[in-house]
Amino acid sequence: MTEAQRPPLPPFTLESAVEKVRLAEDGWNSRDPARVALAYTVDSQWRNRAEFITGREAIIAFLSTKWRRELDYRLIKELWAFGGNRIAVRYAYEWHDDSGNWFRSFGNENWEFDDSGLMQKRYACINDLPVRAEDRCFHWPLGRRPDDHPGLSEFAF
């Protein structure tokens, strides 16, 4: 394995696609933009909502801004479909703004990987739903979601 490889590598099997999704979830739950950016090619192309982002430096800048605004961010991703070097996921995350208003954001992402397992394309659609603090569902300590915490399918949304 070279330093630039990010296993599991395509073509994906069910097992390796599930693993890739969990690794992505874990990375995003670290809320460390530089760490997250290493999972993407240096010229990775993103569409995130209505923003178009190209390259690791732009990814780092985008995520730094995102996690300054989306506080106490907790994310669950779930495999939706896969084939060859592509994976589709659905996800939900909870966060609050600096005024204490809580949101649950739902979305779908389509991912495309290069041969070394780095994501070269990411297309994300996201919708935000205001929620009351008492209606939150993601309560684990900040960081990686515990293995015994329910996944996305266990929730009624």
Side-chain angles (χ1 to χ4, degrees), residues 118-138:
L118 294 170
M119 195 181 302
Q120 57 193 7
K121 294 183 181 173
R122 174 185 173 267
Y123 302 111
C125 297
I126 308 165
N127 298 294
D128 301 316
L129 174 70
V131 294
R132 299 179 311 170
E134 57 269 23
D135 293 332
R136 292 178 45 230
C137 296
F138 305 165

Side-chain angles (χ1 to χ4, degrees), residues 141-155:
L142 289 177
R144 185 179 194 277
R145 176 174 53 98
D147 290 335
D148 62 349
H149 190 281
L152 202 52
S153 288
E154 284 75 37
F155 291 98

Side-chain angles (χ1 to χ4, degrees), residues 13-63:
T13 63
L14 176 59
E15 180 179 275
S16 66
V18 167
E19 180 183 359
K20 196 72 159 178
V21 171
R22 182 57 192 243
L23 290 169
E25 176 187 312
D26 291 349
W28 281 66
N29 275 327
S30 76
R31 296 175 335 278
D32 179 342
R35 174 184 168 192
V36 172
L38 292 175
Y40 300 89
T41 61
V42 295
D43 59 350
S44 185
Q45 298 175 2
W46 285 22
R47 182 185 47 74
N48 195 88
R49 301 179 192 253
E51 286 187 71
F52 293 84
I53 302 158
T54 301
R56 282 189 184 153
E57 292 304 314
I59 290 169
I60 291 169
F62 171 82
L63 293 174

Side-chain angles (χ1 to χ4, degrees), residues 21 78-82 86-90 109-111:
V21 171
E78 179 177 272
L79 177 67
W80 188 252
F82 70 95
R86 294 181 173 163
I87 294 176
V89 298
R90 70 185 197 103
E109 291 178 341
N110 296 311
W111 301 340

